[in-house]
Amino acid sequence: MPGRALTRLTVVLVLALALATGTTGGWTGAVAHAQTVESGSLDFTGDADDWISGGQSYSYSTTSQDRFDVSGSADNRVVSLSVDGANGDWWYLDLAAPSGSTLTPGEYTDAARYPFNEGARPGLSLSGNGRGCNTLTGSFTVLDVEFGPNGYVQTLHATFEQHCEGGTAALRGEVRVGNPSPPAELGLGLDVATDGGASTLNGNATVHGTVSCNQPVRVTVSGSVTQVAKKTLVKGSYSTAVSCEPGTPAAWTAVAVPSGSAPFIKGDAEVAARASATDPNYGGAVTVDRTVAVSLDKA
């Protein structure tokens, strides 16, 4: 029984939904942004009755102007590769370790179609050019794999074999991926000054400090100011954003408006602060928290 016809949009939506939600096959990691592969190749051939290959052989390489993009899960369990052939072909390959495992060199047998593999079964899927398996069985061998932070795929070398719909016809292939050493993760620093101001005009509190970074980013600083003033709890939140450049701390200042009718006054207060920014290389949110005792003066 043949597999199913697929549009490219169908493949993208199915994989994106499964990877983003982590609801299939026990997958729980987050997916790093896709990387354009610096050096890569994909070669496969199928038996005469294989639905995916149609009994043909295919070969793609970055040296032949074919485009390769790869992404890995943050838990280093899944590697997903897309190939845009210079001739208009398009293919997707997924290799996944069993639930709770990381993808390491070794043999992975009794694989099921990714992302619908469950439990101890590894996941495998090669689809594209409008064809995909409804179900599949197979195996793959990871000869080399190396990850960086947040699912960055630096190296992958694997061979694989899959059978659509439990048939005997096989598709066999080999994939190689080579990328530069991973870029550094975004690092943030946050300081809250121990002095601040309490306005006698509107009762707002002004707090300030600095943020530092190892990459140019826009940093949001948010938090709250809490004070016990004349036996009354006064609390207000604040938020501001500053541009940060490596090597030069960026100053931030923010105003907290009391949430109730009681104003902030001169005296001690507690300032909770969080600096957050999006990692420009890996796409994830990076945060750092500080809680500091601050002395508010009249302003």
Side-chain angles (χ1 to χ4, degrees):
M1 180 179 178
R4 58 176 177 165
L6 299 173
T7 65
R8 185 166 190 165
L9 180 60
T10 299
V11 175
V12 171
L13 290 177
V14 168
L15 294 179
L17 178 63
L19 290 173
T21 62
T23 56
T24 319
W27 191 86
T28 57
V31 178
H33 284 184
Q35 310 156 223
T36 299
V37 176
E38 184 175 276
S39 174
S41 63
L42 175 66
D43 302 278
F44 62 91
T45 186
D47 295 337
D49 294 332
D50 173 60
W51 167 249
I52 304 298
S53 67
Q56 303 298 310
S57 295
Y58 297 83
S59 182
Y60 307 90
S61 172
T62 51
T63 60
S64 300
Q65 306 306 309
D66 301 314
R67 179 185 173 92
F68 285 63
D69 292 287
V70 68
S71 61
S73 60
D75 57 4
N76 296 345
R77 180 183 166 227
V78 183
V79 172
S80 297
L81 179 77
S82 67
V83 178
D84 286 304
N87 62 354
D89 288 349
W90 51 275
W91 300 97
Y92 295 94
L93 174 66
D94 301 286
L95 302 175
S99 179
S101 304
T102 58
L103 197 66
T104 57
E107 295 184 7
Y108 295 82
T109 59
D110 192 31
R113 179 190 165 202
Y114 180 81
F116 303 102
N117 56 299
E118 296 181 352
R121 299 190 72 178
L124 167 67
S125 178
L126 177 69
S127 62
N129 272 9
R131 294 187 174 189
C133 301
N134 290 305
T135 63
L136 67 80
T137 55
S139 62
F140 59 92
T141 299
V142 177
L143 302 170
D144 185 25
V145 64
E146 186 174 358
F147 293 99
N150 298 296
Y152 181 94
V153 183
Q154 183 172 352
T155 302
L156 174 67
H157 182 198
T159 59
F160 55 90
E161 178 178 321
Q162 76 174 30
H163 304 258
C164 275
E165 325 308 335
T168 57
L171 179 150
R172 302 174 183 87
E174 183 174 15
V175 60
R176 294 177 183 266
V177 168
N179 280 316
S181 297
E185 295 180 90
L186 173 63
L188 292 180
L190 170 63
D191 284 316
V192 179
T194 57
D195 65 295
S199 173
T200 57
L201 296 177
N202 54 29
N204 295 341
T206 300
V207 292
H208 66 109
T210 60
V211 291
S212 57
C213 54
N214 62 350
Q215 298 176 52
V217 287
R218 186 76 172 169
V219 182
T220 298
V221 181
S222 59
S224 62
V225 180
T226 304
Q227 183 184 49
V228 178
K230 298 180 180 179
K231 299 183 180 181
T232 300
L233 181 66
V234 185
K235 189 169 185 177
S237 59
Y238 64 88
S239 182
T240 188
V242 294
S243 295
C244 183
E245 294 290 336
T248 305
W252 62 268
T253 301
V255 175
V257 179
S259 57
S261 58
F264 288 106
I265 64 173
K266 179 180 178 180
D268 293 335
E270 181 182 84
V271 176
R274 165 171 288 186
S276 60
T278 300
D279 191 311
N281 294 309
Y282 300 110
V286 177
T287 62
V288 57
D289 296 289
R290 293 287 306 275
T291 299
V292 176
V294 173
S295 179
L296 302 180
D297 203 354
K298 289 183 179 181

